[in-house]
């Protein structure tokens, strides 16, 4: 590892301050940001609107390289799983999901994850380390070049390996660079942070930046949720839903609750009714995800009938409820299947 500071670990304001310390004009940061994020520059040599002397100085002092793609697998449904090698040898995965006119990039925020959700393969690995902001944003910079000609990445979801809110500062910096006019220029409407339910960080995120929020709920009561998701012992459903109520979703946007349906565990009509009561008063929609079995998992996939019945109860209760088709199952790119291997 070079040990040099990485420019993509800095927000625009931080880069301006860094350049000012070097005796350079603050507007240089805007120039450099555009090269890094909009033109995907991987070397200072191409930054021809900077003086040779400044480029040489930057080369000596800072790093700008993005994680390297070491493997790409493509599913029969077109979903691509991309394996990245980080500077220290660790590996993480991202997923590119094709839509009608646009692609969605699902990015990782940690190497592994400490949260230990029982239905998730990433959770079995444990946490190796947090990703730096440059490693989060670097996945997207590389992925933009992996879509077919004419199709671009329009949505970003932080739903890959790791719990984004457990790596709060770096995740926030990455989001700032996704959404900066001098960065990647995404609207905050196109960014979704998915969390297992770190209640105080949900509230903090709402104060710091207004992106879409998806909360992984997965059970209609504390007993079963604590079994599935250890975080529930710290922030039980009541605390989590209060944080969701306090989350300032702008305009007509809706919060999303993710619910992984596990066969014979949380997929009955009674469970759906309980869930409908629980979410009353929250402007939200529900995504149902049929569990993807993985080697050694103790749960099984729900039956198609159970999925249909569960959805119908929520629809009848007035919730927009979508059964998310799992993409990329054949290449282990579906929800909860990422391992970085
Ligand atoms: Fe971590 Fe998310 Fe998997 Fe839970 S579901 S173990 S928070 S990666």
């Amino acid at each position: 590892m070079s040990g040099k500071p990485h420019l993509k670990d800095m927000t625009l304001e931080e880069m301006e301050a860094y350049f000012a310390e070097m005796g350079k004009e603050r507007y240089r940061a805007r120039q450099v940001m555009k090269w890094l994020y909009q033109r995907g520059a991987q070397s200072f040599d191409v930054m021809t609107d900077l003086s040779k002397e400044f480029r040489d100085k930057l080369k000596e002092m800072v790093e700008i390289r993005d994680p390297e793609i070491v493997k790409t697998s493509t599913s029969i449904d077109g979903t691509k799983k991309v394996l990245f090698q980080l500077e220290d040898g660790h590996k993480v995965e991202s997923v590119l999901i094709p839509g009608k006119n646009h692609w969605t990039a699902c990015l990782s925020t940690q190497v592994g994850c400490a949260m230990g959700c029982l239905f998730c393969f990433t959770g079995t690995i444990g946490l190796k380390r947090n990703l730096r902001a440059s490693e989060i944003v670097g996945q997207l910079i590389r992925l933009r070049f992996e879509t077919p000609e004419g199709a671009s990445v329009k949505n970003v979801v932080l739903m890959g390996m790791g719990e984004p809110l457990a790596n709060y500062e770096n995740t926030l910096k990455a989001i700032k660079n996704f959404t900066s006019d001098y960065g990647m220029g995404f609207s905050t409407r196109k960014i979704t942070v998915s969390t297992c339910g770190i209640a105080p960080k949900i509230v903090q995120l709402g104060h710091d930046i207004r992106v879409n929020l998806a909360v992984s709920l997965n059970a209609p009561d504390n007993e079963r949720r604590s079994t599935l998701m250890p975080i529930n012992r710290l922030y039980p459903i009541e605390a989590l839903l209060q944080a969701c109520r306090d989350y300032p979703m702008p305009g007509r946007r809706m919060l999303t609750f993710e619910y992984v349906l596990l066969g014979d565990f949380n997929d009955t009509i009674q469970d759906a009714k309980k869930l409908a009561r629980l979410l009353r008063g929250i402007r939200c929609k529900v995504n149902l995800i049929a569990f993807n079995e993985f080697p050694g998992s103790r749960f099984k996939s729900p039956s198609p009938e159970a999925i249909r019945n569960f959805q119908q109860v929520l629809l009848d209760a007035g919730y927009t409820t979508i059964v998310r088709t799992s993409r990329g199952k054949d290449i282990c790119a579906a929800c909860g299947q990422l391992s970085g291997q």
Side-chain angles (χ1 to χ4, degrees), residues 143-207:
L143 290 176
R144 277 189 315 181
F145 297 102
E146 295 296 310
T147 55
E149 183 126 10
S152 53
V153 175
K154 290 277 168 56
N155 297 301
V156 178
V157 295
L158 299 179
M159 221 179 256
M161 294 169 66
E163 161 57 50
L165 299 185
N167 182 15
Y168 189 82
E169 295 305 325
N170 294 343
T171 295
L172 182 62
K173 271 189 196 188
I175 295 172
K176 284 185 177 170
N177 287 338
F178 291 146
T179 54
S180 162
D181 288 342
Y182 300 99
M184 302 184 85
F186 279 88
S187 154
T188 53
R189 307 175 69 86
K190 300 292 180 187
I191 311 271
T192 301
V193 170
S194 171
T195 178
C196 66
I198 306 181
K201 293 289 180 191
I202 290 177
V203 177
Q204 193 182 342
L205 184 72
H207 288 141

Side-chain angles (χ1 to χ4, degrees), residues 92-93 107-115 120 122-123 126-127 129-131 158-167 171 194-196 338:
V92 289
E93 286 171 328
L107 309 181
S108 294
T109 52
Q110 296 182 307
V111 183
C113 184
M115 296 296 146
C120 172
T122 312
L127 177 67
R129 71 167 172 86
N130 283 334
L131 292 189
L158 299 179
M159 221 179 256
M161 294 169 66
E163 161 57 50
L165 299 185
N167 182 15
T171 295
S194 171
T195 178
C196 66
L338 298 184

Side-chain angles (χ1 to χ4, degrees), residues 130-142:
N130 283 334
L131 292 189
R132 297 158 60 152
S134 55
E135 292 168 329
I136 300 171
V137 95
Q139 294 167 61
L140 185 55
I141 291 173
R142 295 285 198 198

